[in-house]
Amino acid sequence: MTGLNPNNSYGKSKLTVEGLLEEVSKSINHNRKINERSRPENVEMNQNQNQQGIFKAISLRYFNPVGCHESGLIGDCSYQDQNLFKIIERVSTGDLQDITIFGKDYNTRDKTPIRDFIHVCDISEGHVMALNYLIKSTEMDMSKSNMENQGVASTYEVFNMGTEKGYTVLEVINSYMKANNIKIPFKFGERREGDLEELVSDSTKILNT
């Protein structure tokens, strides 16, 4: 997804849900502000009443999740997954004959696409941090609302999650072969419609929050 202009149905569906979350949060909290301003000055709300009508949400954008828990007990068991690491794994075990690299004429260091891969455990930690951030910011907004009668401030935010470092498809395959001392057969195919040349996360916001 580049410049909020997704080029496939998967990206479009994600952007649609983000839009719904943003509009719902705006609507609910706008009505809350109106109700607060119309409340008589000598009437104070208790904590439960102050929490009513608050809707806050965070969207986490991440691409190419890989890996499993270090215990090996939790991981990706889907054989239909088109994730590069899953395909490499299936080739390494003999379940697939080889890997098809779609495109070898991209403007990259080895002519194959660049992607930003993020480990699933990092994603899990990111979700917990996002929930804690929502709880903390909601508490701060309620306190501010009580003192200034200004309602809830920030109600919807978007964060990118990634390493900010891209690797080409060929680099990933070669690294896997080197780390495991095995051979991974691969071949080149035509570019796929909708594939981007480079997809790397800008995680500046989440790193500075």
Side-chain angles (χ1 to χ4, degrees), residues 1 4 6 8-24 59 61 156:
M1 194 181 300
L4 298 184
N8 55 54
S9 57
Y10 176 67
K12 290 176 181 177
S13 65
K14 293 176 70 175
L15 187 59
T16 297
V17 173
E18 287 188 5
L20 289 172
L21 288 173
E22 183 175 16
E23 291 304 314
V24 169
S59 288
R61 295 175 180 167
Y156 176 74

Side-chain angles (χ1 to χ4, degrees), residues 1 10 14 18 21 57-63 118 122-131 133-134 156-162 201 206:
M1 194 181 300
Y10 176 67
K14 293 176 70 175
E18 287 188 5
L21 288 173
I58 287 179
S59 288
L60 298 177
R61 295 175 180 167
Y62 43 83
F63 318 98
I118 180 171
D122 293 326
I123 293 176
S124 177
E125 291 182 10
H127 280 81
V128 174
M129 293 173 66
L131 286 172
Y133 177 83
L134 278 177
Y156 176 74
E157 294 191 65
V158 177
F159 293 95
N160 292 337
M161 290 178 60
S201 172
I206 196 170

Side-chain angles (χ1 to χ4, degrees), residues 4-208:
L4 298 184
N5 185 28
N7 57 1
N8 55 54
S9 57
Y10 176 67
K12 290 176 181 177
S13 65
K14 293 176 70 175
L15 187 59
T16 297
V17 173
E18 287 188 5
L20 289 172
L21 288 173
E22 183 175 16
E23 291 304 314
V24 169
S25 64
K26 285 181 179 179
S27 175
I28 291 178
N29 292 295
H30 174 71
N31 292 335
R32 174 186 168 84
K33 288 182 180 181
I34 294 176
N35 292 335
E36 284 187 348
R37 289 168 182 166
S38 62
R39 189 178 70 249
E41 294 184 1
N42 62 340
V43 177
E44 294 185 1
M45 294 189 298
N46 60 38
Q47 185 176 7
N48 291 333
Q49 290 174 320
N50 194 34
Q51 290 177 339
Q52 293 177 359
I54 293 179
F55 183 94
K56 304 193 75 174
I58 287 179
S59 288
L60 298 177
R61 295 175 180 167
Y62 43 83
F63 318 98
N64 301 296
V66 297
C68 64
H69 191 268
E70 61 182 6
S71 67
L73 299 176
I74 303 175
D76 184 4
C77 298
S78 172
Y79 280 92
Q80 302 302 318
D81 196 344
Q82 295 302 304
N83 183 287
L84 176 60
F85 278 76
K86 174 57 67 174
I87 296 175
I88 292 176
E89 179 185 316
R90 294 182 64 190
V91 173
S92 70
T93 59
D95 189 57
L96 290 177
Q97 184 176 354
D98 53 37
I99 297 175
T100 299
I101 301 176
F102 297 100
K104 58 177 180 178
D105 56 352
Y106 287 96
N107 185 29
T108 62
R109 46 188 173 266
D110 61 16
K111 305 302 181 182
T112 62
I114 293 176
R115 296 293 180 265
D116 184 349
F117 298 94
I118 180 171
H119 198 275
V120 291
C121 289
D122 293 326
I123 293 176
S124 177
E125 291 182 10
H127 280 81
V128 174
M129 293 173 66
L131 286 172
N132 289 333
Y133 177 83
L134 278 177
I135 293 171
K136 182 178 179 180
S137 63
T138 300
E139 290 174 348
M140 293 177 62
D141 282 336
M142 287 193 299
S143 176
K144 183 178 180 180
S145 175
N146 283 335
M147 291 186 298
E148 303 177 9
N149 196 29
Q150 291 184 353
V152 179
S154 178
T155 60
Y156 176 74
E157 294 191 65
V158 177
F159 293 95
N160 292 337
M161 290 178 60
T163 64
E164 296 192 315
K165 185 175 183 179
Y167 298 90
T168 70
V169 173
L170 204 51
E171 286 174 340
V172 172
I173 295 174
N174 287 330
S175 295
Y176 193 99
M177 289 193 292
K178 182 178 179 180
N180 295 280
N181 193 29
I182 59 175
K183 189 72 174 178
I184 301 293
F186 64 86
K187 61 185 179 182
F188 290 100
E190 297 295 324
R191 288 193 186 194
R192 294 179 300 187
E193 183 179 357
D195 275 357
L196 300 176
E197 179 173 279
E198 181 174 0
L199 187 58
V200 178
S201 172
D202 180 356
S203 303
T204 303
K205 181 178 178 182
I206 196 170
L207 291 173
N208 294 330

